[in-house]
Amino acid sequence: MSMEDIRASASRLGIDFSEVDLDSIRLPPGEDFGIISDDEDLKEEEELEFEAGFGNIIVVDNLPVVPKEKFEKLEGVIRKIYSQIGVIKDDGLWMPVDHTGKTLGYCFIEYNTPQEAELAKEKTNGYKLDRSHIFAVNMFDDIEKFMKVPDEWAPPETIPYTPGENLQHWLTDEKARDQFVIRAGSDTEVLWNDARQLKPDPVYKRPFWTESFVQWSPLGTYLATLHRQGAVVWGGASAFNRLTRYAHPQVRLIDFSPGERFLVTYSSHEPSNPRDTHRVVLNIFDVRSGKVMRDFKGSVDEFAIGGTGGVTGVSWPVFRWGGGKDDKYFARIGKNVISVYETETFTLIDKKSIKVENVMDFSWSPTDPILALFVPELGGGNQPARVSLVQIPSKEELRQKNLFSVSDCKMYWQSNGDYLAVKVDRYTKTKKSTYTGFELFRIKERDIPIEVLELENKNDKIIAFAWEPKGHRFAVIHGDNPRPDISFYSMRTAHNTGRVSKLTTIKGKQANALYWSPAGRFIVLAGLKNFNGQLEFYNVDELETMATAEHFMATDIEWDPTGRYVATSVTSVHEMENGFNIWSFNGKLLYRILKDHFFQFSWRPRPPSLLSPEKEEEISKNLKKYSKKYEAEDQDVSLQLSEQEREKRKIVKEEWERWISEWKQLQEEEKLERQKLRDGEASDEEEEYEAKDVEVEELLDVQEEVISFD
Amino acid sequence: MRPILMKGHERPLTFLKYNRDGDLLFSCAKDHTPTGWFADNGERLGTYRGHNGAVWCCDVSRDSSLLLTGSADQTAKLWNVKTGTQLYTFNFDSPTRSVDFGVGDKLAVITTDPFMGLPSAIQVKRIARDPADQSGESILVLKGPQGRINRAVWGPLNKTIISGGEDSVIRIWDSETGKLLKESDKEAGHKKGITSLSKSNDATHFISGSLDKSAKLWDMRTLTLLKTYTTERPVNAVAMSPLLDHVVLGGGQDASAVTTTDHRAGKFEAKFYDKVLQEEIGGVKGHFGPINALAFNPDGKSFASGGEDGYVRLHHFDPDYFNIKI
């Protein structure tokens, strides 16, 4: 019923509609008078799911046609084949017969779960019972769909183009502020970081927006939420509107491709038979159209990483995206293979995976289609461990390095793909302990030279390693004692461009994590967990500490995408103190927000700058000129702020004065009565007594003694 | 200045009270003996022996001659401050939670906990000039609020009684008729149980502390919400400076939730706020457990805090304190 209809019927009944307070109307419970509530839309969606209640039934066609006598034998055969795949329900196998008892050549099988049915379909479609009977298996639900296929092809209707909203509107903020999303309690909220006003500025808030977490797309265009039915992305110019839905029941994890063209969703399903492994479903969607580009299904084991097994579960992301922001390739690791797919056709490159015996780990260069992979030692040390770089799509090995007595390797790419650092843990001669060194690859140089870096104290444990984004430097936290040291190295200094050299070591820090500013140059040395949230803001250009601070119990630290602010937060892993702090890059606390049940803080990423490197250089050279305008603005704001603050304080103080004077007056009026209550004791005031210092001297004893001088 | 540590109790502190002259400090704890102290140097004046349960609250008469204590042993007792002798025992059917002398010390309001099916109650007793004439009769019994009533105090001229408790509502009652006059607004008021309530010296306004991690300042006559002070921890104790526009909040993580981690995790600090601007000024650390009791010396130059750790800490302010500007 529309508003117009209501108005019309109101005037028909002679009711002055403007007098009616709609909010005061309460419907009796369970009665809706045929008015569909706004949530009805949701309900309908759910019903769709129920409709698919035959999802666990398959139809097996092309069975042999047998007479009545052989019915049971055939049934036994079929049951044997299909009960291997999943649990067939009681009376779940039905083979129709004609009036003579002859079978019709097909049967229906009902499983406990749709997953099993689907698996059965996949596994037995095309199953050869004998030469003339090749099974054709379909989902029961699909039969209807096949029946409905019209005989004649009709051209699809073209939907007229409707211009979308500017999804990057937030980048046009006049004050060049950044946004972030927080989740606390049941609310999810997007806010501007208004550092000038020293407070966040709300953008959009919605209770129960997501059922687990929210995630920004890598370029910040979309905000993804997770629901039972699938994932949804939101975005828009002014508010967050629902843009696209991606159906994936019980989706658990999602991952965007770096150029945000594709979205990978993941779910794992409990098997109905406890002996079976979990089933894993992965879908790759086109973000803009919402179409499934490819899906992957299988048992957990197939998607577990690291060949040798032992670790249960799937390490996320299963698919790692390569080739920079073009989203051209994605790859996953399997047993003795690395499967690289390309997004043109969503098939394996050259139709086959790269065979690498015993491969343990791989990672993409963040910018180029280059894979780095690690193979551990084989044959008890007869075959050395190896790290190699592989060019995609040619699958040509660019560089390889053999390493001996290796216990583990970890690969760290620099954000421009210029360098690759491989942290190598090696056994000592006794094999009782390990020590760590680094192999540094210079990817962009001819022949990819490799350099070995060992710490001065070989026995130091490496606690953290981080490249400076877009830079040539890296930081390492190392040490064995509770207060480790932090060293900074540069891949090229002014007088030594080809070699790595140490810049400095700062000793005895309470730090266990490194957070470089996305713009480089600054770094936060953080002591999380047992260090209780120690923060040190360090300038690597000047090699000096800018500030030290503490955010007690901090669990997470994140730089804003421009490198101007740092957010530290205490999430609900701790019961107390939940909330977040915003700091300036140089360690000044700007503001502090406390929220109970604080789950998540996430800055909205920004797409890379459109300025050419030359232009950027020019700006940083003439920074004074450019910054003048902003400095003036800043000053205005801060003046205004202090003015406002003063004004506010004045009002508050005046108000308080009013109360005080009122109280004084009342006090005066009641004075006599109070005296009466106190039996005439006159004073309210305390001035009646005064403190006196009284000195008392008491002579205890007198003695005379003669002291002689020599 | 270095605080004076007064170690006289074996169990967590529950309440602290200065006498009017500010030379004596009375402390109550979960052990059974309230203690009197000299407020300037922290020496013990003496103990008041006789209770057989945790002592929750006390009040001292204007002339510092009578001490009234309320205890979990289902009694409230009157004591001679000077000699420590018991003068009278009020018997109840449930533990007494708070006590307060009215103006003129001729009336006292005592609250009792819900116990064995009995609801909580606010009872008014007449205090006789001569203890020999003292009777245990209640002149008024107020019932109604759900759960414990953690504090009840007299309003101006003994005309009203103000109560606050576990149901997180502050109520003003007529002390003559027992009628409920005012209730704090659900929206503006506390969201969780009220743990403490403290009057200003001139009894024109009062401050309430709550487990909802805030303290609120109210007008005593109209129950108008004047200020709200928010903190990070549940508030167990509140006090107002009689000298400067400062309020102190004490509290911390619930004792049962205190983990074995760093003692800073509990935030067992006494926090000072500007009364008017509602901004935090600073904190005084020291306790190894939540702060359960706070009291300002009537001269405003020192304050005492009592903690779950069993210590009373007596803080005399440094000269700097009196020049704090924000």
Side-chain angles (χ1 to χ4, degrees):
Chain A
M1 208 186 264
S2 76
M3 218 55 197
E4 266 69 60
D5 297 336
I6 297 171
R7 278 211 186 83
S9 46
S11 66
R12 201 177 60 235
L13 295 167
I15 299 168
D16 184 0
F17 190 67
S18 60
E19 295 277 292
V20 179
D21 178 10
L22 287 174
D23 293 331
S24 71
I25 299 171
R26 291 271 173 278
L27 295 180
E31 176 61 78
D32 64 356
F33 292 101
I35 304 164
I36 293 172
S37 97
D38 297 342
D39 307 335
E40 216 70 4
D41 175 38
L42 284 173
K43 271 191 202 156
E44 275 166 29
E45 273 173 39
E46 280 180 21
E47 267 165 36
L48 274 177
E49 296 233 326
F50 290 125
E51 236 172 82
F54 296 120
N56 50 348
I57 302 177
I58 53 168
V59 184
V60 186
D61 221 331
N62 277 353
L63 295 176
V65 177
V66 295
K68 205 173 173 182
E69 304 79 63
K70 284 194 172 174
F71 180 91
E72 271 184 21
K73 194 176 174 199
L74 177 62
E75 200 188 43
V77 169
I78 293 168
R79 196 177 284 278
K80 199 175 162 197
I81 295 169
Y82 282 94
S83 57
Q84 280 171 359
I85 292 159
V87 180
I88 300 173
K89 273 196 180 173
D90 297 342
D91 301 329
L93 175 62
W94 183 53
M95 197 155 32
V97 289
D98 67 4
H99 58 278
T100 61
K102 212 160 84 174
T103 65
L104 300 173
Y106 56 88
C107 76
F108 300 89
I109 296 169
E110 184 175 7
Y111 281 104
N112 265 336
T113 63
Q115 285 84 15
E116 285 170 324
E118 206 145 301
L119 187 70
K121 176 196 143 185
E122 262 170 54
K123 283 210 169 163
T124 60
N125 194 15
Y127 181 89
K128 279 185 189 163
L129 189 65
D130 54 44
R131 189 167 296 171
S132 52
H133 297 103
I134 298 170
F135 286 5
V137 187
N138 282 300
M139 301 298 290
F140 184 80
D141 281 343
D142 291 342
I143 298 288
E144 213 164 307
K145 202 166 74 192
F146 298 146
M147 303 280 286
K148 276 191 192 151
V149 174
D151 293 338
E152 247 168 78
W153 180 78
E157 266 178 67
T158 44
I159 302 161
Y161 170 74
T162 44
E165 281 182 279
N166 178 5
L167 296 179
Q168 296 186 320
H169 187 263
W170 96 98
L171 292 171
T172 62
D173 181 50
E174 256 177 33
K175 295 180 227 164
R177 298 173 298 180
D178 276 293
Q179 287 187 351
F180 57 85
V181 65
I182 56 169
R183 253 176 354 103
S186 55
D187 288 343
T188 304
E189 201 174 348
V190 179
L191 301 146
W192 289 110
N193 167 33
D194 207 329
R196 271 184 190 161
Q197 309 273 4
L198 301 179
K199 61 174 201 262
D201 188 9
V203 179
Y204 188 76
K205 180 175 178 175
R206 204 175 155 125
F208 305 106
W209 199 356
T210 176
E211 281 170 39
S212 51
F213 60 94
V214 293
Q215 189 172 326
W216 293 106
S217 63
L219 306 181
T221 316
Y222 310 104
L223 182 71
T225 58
L226 269 69
H227 307 269
R228 223 167 345 132
Q229 299 94 331
V232 179
V233 298
W234 308 74
S238 48
F240 278 81
N241 301 317
R242 185 163 65 197
L243 299 174
T244 323
R245 287 190 270 193
Y246 312 95
H248 186 149
Q250 280 145 53
V251 57
R252 213 44 85 64
L253 294 165
I254 56 169
D255 181 38
F256 282 95
S257 66
E260 57 186 41
R261 276 176 65 197
F262 304 104
L263 175 75
V264 186
T265 57
Y266 162 87
S267 66
S268 104
H269 300 272
E270 193 116 359
S272 59
N273 183 346
R275 272 170 305 174
D276 292 348
T277 49
H278 281 234
R279 299 254 310 140
V280 171
V281 180
L282 285 145
N283 284 321
I284 301 179
F285 292 95
D286 183 292
V287 168
R288 304 228 309 208
S289 70
K291 253 197 245 156
V292 181
M293 305 309 287
R294 170 121 199 220
D295 59 346
F296 296 86
K297 289 171 192 170
S299 74
V300 170
D301 300 345
E302 289 170 53
F303 289 90
I305 286 180
T308 46
V311 192
T312 50
V314 173
S315 94
W316 189 252
V318 172
F319 293 108
R320 304 185 192 172
W321 294 87
K325 305 251 180 264
D326 305 332
D327 295 346
K328 268 178 104 164
Y329 306 104
F330 60 98
R332 76 176 172 94
I333 191 167
K335 237 174 214 148
N336 301 332
V337 289
I338 289 177
S339 311
V340 185
Y341 302 82
E342 47 97 14
T343 54
E344 287 283 316
T345 59
F346 278 88
T347 50
L348 287 167
I349 291 179
D350 303 337
K351 305 256 184 317
K352 58 179 183 249
S353 303
I354 307 172
K355 275 228 151 52
V356 190
E357 203 61 27
N358 232 7
V359 60
M360 271 287 275
D361 195 11
F362 79 102
S363 70
W364 285 97
S365 155
T367 48
D368 305 294
I370 298 174
L371 269 178
L373 46 91
F374 163 60
V375 183
E377 245 162 62
L378 280 178
N382 285 337
Q383 206 175 320
R386 131 179 99 99
V387 171
S388 54
L389 296 171
V390 178
Q391 179 85 46
I392 300 296
S394 62
K395 299 186 182 176
E396 174 194 344
E397 191 161 80
L398 296 173
R399 191 77 163 82
Q400 185 198 344
K401 167 107 188 195
N402 288 336
L403 303 159
F404 296 91
S405 50
V406 170
S407 84
D408 195 17
C409 270
K410 262 219 151 70
M411 292 171 276
Y412 301 92
W413 284 92
Q414 185 255 11
S415 71
N416 285 356
D418 291 346
Y419 310 107
L420 168 69
V422 181
K423 187 185 101 182
V424 189
D425 294 334
R426 287 190 177 86
Y427 292 111
T428 49
K429 275 187 188 138
T430 57
K431 291 240 174 187
K432 273 185 185 142
S433 57
T434 58
Y435 65 97
T436 311
F438 291 96
E439 308 280 328
L440 302 164
F441 292 69
R442 290 170 196 268
I443 308 291
K444 299 282 162 79
E445 280 170 39
R446 242 193 68 176
D447 294 337
I448 312 186
I450 303 173
E451 207 175 328
V452 181
L453 172 71
E454 267 174 6
L455 295 173
E456 277 155 32
N457 183 357
K458 272 181 149 189
N459 295 325
D460 274 3
K461 287 235 154 46
I462 305 294
I463 297 163
F465 175 96
W467 282 102
E468 175 182 31
K470 300 175 195 161
H472 307 285
R473 294 176 288 205
F474 60 89
V476 186
I477 305 184
H478 55 94
D480 247 345
N481 49 347
R483 281 168 166 271
D485 302 339
I486 301 169
S487 296
F488 293 94
Y489 294 86
S490 177
M491 293 299 281
R492 58 167 198 221
T493 44
H495 43 269
N496 204 347
T497 53
R499 285 197 63 79
V500 62
S501 47
K502 187 161 103 175
L503 299 171
T504 189
T505 296
I506 36 182
K507 297 248 178 216
K509 286 288 164 196
Q510 292 195 45
N512 48 23
L514 298 164
Y515 295 92
W516 280 95
S517 155
R521 188 167 163 196
F522 306 111
I523 188 168
V524 176
L525 317 170
L528 304 178
K529 289 176 192 147
N530 0 347
F531 288 132
N532 285 337
Q534 297 291 332
L535 307 170
E536 180 162 344
F537 295 79
Y538 194 81
N539 181 337
V540 185
D541 274 5
E542 310 292 335
L543 296 175
E544 64 180 12
T545 301
M546 297 183 291
T548 52
E550 182 192 61
H551 183 184
F552 188 57
M553 290 303 205
T555 53
D556 297 88
I557 296 178
E558 197 181 340
W559 281 85
D560 84 324
T562 57
R564 294 176 296 174
Y565 306 104
V566 184
T568 59
S569 45
V570 179
T571 56
S572 59
V573 289
H574 295 303
E575 202 175 317
M576 289 290 187
E577 233 125 341
N578 281 196
F580 63 94
N581 287 3
I582 303 285
W583 310 76
S584 66
F585 74 95
N586 54 2
K588 194 174 144 231
L589 179 62
L590 299 176
Y591 57 91
R592 172 173 173 79
I593 306 276
L594 293 169
K595 292 228 180 228
D596 273 351
H597 302 289
F598 191 74
F599 298 118
Q600 197 183 359
F601 181 102
S602 181
W603 288 101
R604 187 172 196 170
R606 278 167 180 265
S609 167
L610 297 172
L611 297 174
S612 62
E614 295 79 43
K615 183 77 182 161
E616 262 183 58
E617 186 124 333
E618 197 258 330
I619 289 175
S620 62
K621 231 181 226 159
N622 302 315
L623 194 64
K624 279 237 167 72
K625 194 177 90 197
Y626 288 98
S627 67
K628 208 167 233 164
K629 176 182 140 201
Y630 298 102
E631 268 162 23
E633 264 178 38
D634 274 355
Q635 199 164 8
D636 281 355
V637 171
S638 74
L639 267 180
Q640 205 184 336
L641 217 90
S642 54
E643 188 61 34
Q644 271 173 9
E645 183 69 8
R646 247 195 312 251
E647 198 66 20
K648 214 170 82 194
R649 282 190 179 196
K650 213 173 115 196
I651 293 169
V652 170
K653 282 235 159 95
E654 273 168 15
E655 202 179 317
W656 184 249
E657 291 302 325
R658 266 205 304 284
W659 277 106
I660 297 269
S661 66
E662 192 187 320
W663 286 333
K664 275 227 173 94
Q665 200 193 329
L666 283 165
Q667 217 41 14
E668 203 57 36
E669 282 168 18
E670 291 171 355
K671 195 172 181 176
L672 275 176
E673 279 187 68
R674 214 169 16 244
Q675 270 189 25
K676 226 162 71 198
L677 280 172
R678 285 185 178 141
D679 301 330
E681 200 182 322
S683 68
D684 277 336
E685 287 74 33
E686 309 293 325
E687 266 87 305
E688 56 177 318
Y689 73 93
E690 59 189 87
K692 263 191 221 163
D693 282 331
V694 183
E695 270 183 47
V696 182
E697 254 180 64
E698 226 176 301
L699 209 56
L700 294 173
D701 195 11
V702 181
Q703 243 180 21
E704 269 187 41
E705 227 177 284
V706 184
I707 301 162
S708 62
F709 291 93
D710 293 327
Chain B
M1 213 173 92
R2 266 182 84 87
I4 300 170
L5 249 74
M6 289 133 80
K7 173 77 184 142
H9 289 286
E10 292 160 1
R11 299 282 318 277
L13 269 286
T14 55
F15 198 78
L16 289 169
K17 178 83 188 177
Y18 278 96
N19 69 341
R20 191 173 71 107
D21 301 329
D23 61 340
L24 296 179
L25 172 67
F26 297 95
S27 62
C28 304
K30 286 185 183 169
D31 57 21
H32 307 164
T33 34
T35 305
W37 311 83
F38 288 106
D40 57 341
N41 58 9
E43 272 179 49
R44 184 153 57 181
L45 170 68
T47 53
Y48 299 89
R49 286 176 191 277
H51 273 302
N52 201 16
V55 182
W56 293 119
C57 192
C58 70
D59 198 13
V60 59
S61 67
R62 187 175 154 93
D63 59 4
S64 303
S65 66
L66 284 179
L67 180 71
L68 178 61
T69 55
S71 159
D73 64 3
Q74 314 197 356
T75 65
K77 284 180 194 286
L78 273 172
W79 308 83
N80 183 323
V81 169
K82 218 190 224 163
T83 63
T85 44
Q86 260 184 65
L87 300 176
Y88 190 78
T89 302
F90 298 97
N91 285 304
F92 298 93
D93 299 327
S94 60
T96 59
R97 179 64 55 171
S98 99
V99 294
D100 192 42
F101 278 124
V103 181
D105 298 327
K106 289 200 276 301
L107 293 169
V109 58
I110 301 173
T111 66
T112 52
D113 285 352
F115 186 65
M116 305 278 284
L118 287 172
S120 56
I122 304 169
Q123 317 211 10
V124 179
K125 303 277 183 189
R126 204 179 290 285
I127 305 293
R129 188 119 287 263
D130 182 354
D133 306 337
Q134 183 64 48
S135 90
E137 228 175 297
S138 294
I139 9 178
L140 184 73
V141 178
L142 301 172
K143 282 178 190 162
Q146 287 295 310
R148 221 155 59 196
I149 301 163
N150 281 323
R151 193 90 174 101
V153 295
W154 290 97
L157 300 178
N158 298 348
K159 281 184 179 150
T160 53
I161 293 169
I162 296 134
S163 74
E166 277 181 337
D167 64 355
S168 69
V169 182
I170 293 174
R171 293 185 174 82
I172 298 188
W173 312 79
D174 188 317
S175 62
E176 281 291 322
T177 62
K179 233 175 73 185
L180 178 63
L181 298 176
K182 283 191 173 67
E183 264 186 31
S184 61
D185 189 48
K186 272 253 155 42
E187 279 300 301
H190 285 295
K191 302 284 180 287
K192 284 185 182 170
I194 293 160
T195 49
S196 57
L197 212 150
S198 166
K199 284 194 284 188
S200 71
N201 256 20
D202 56 1
T204 53
H205 55 288
F206 67 93
I207 186 168
S208 60
S210 161
L211 298 177
D212 68 2
K213 304 181 187 174
S214 74
K216 288 176 191 281
L217 194 72
W218 310 80
D219 179 59
M220 206 157 211
R221 290 179 177 81
T222 59
L223 202 61
T224 314
L225 178 65
L226 302 175
K227 305 282 172 195
T228 300
Y229 312 94
T230 46
T231 173
E232 298 144 14
R233 303 283 145 156
V235 179
N236 295 343
V238 286
M240 268 187 277
S241 166
L243 190 65
L244 300 173
D245 278 335
H246 291 171
V247 298
V248 197
L249 315 185
Q253 211 167 345
D254 191 26
S256 62
V258 173
T259 49
T260 51
T261 56
D262 198 318
H263 68 92
R264 286 177 307 165
K267 273 274 160 62
F268 309 129
E269 267 178 89
K271 288 249 181 206
F272 278 71
Y273 284 75
D274 188 288
K275 190 168 168 182
V276 183
L277 300 173
Q278 312 176 77
E279 276 170 45
E280 192 181 316
I281 304 169
V284 178
K285 291 180 193 172
H287 280 290
F288 288 97
I291 292 176
N292 291 338
L294 281 170
F296 250 102
N297 191 309
D299 68 4
K301 291 175 184 159
S302 63
F303 83 103
S305 58
E308 189 78 14
D309 56 2
Y311 282 97
V312 178
R313 296 172 76 91
L314 188 63
H315 306 262
H316 291 274
F317 293 116
D318 289 327
D320 300 350
Y321 165 77
F322 302 99
N323 306 322
I324 294 174
K325 280 256 167 356
I326 62 164

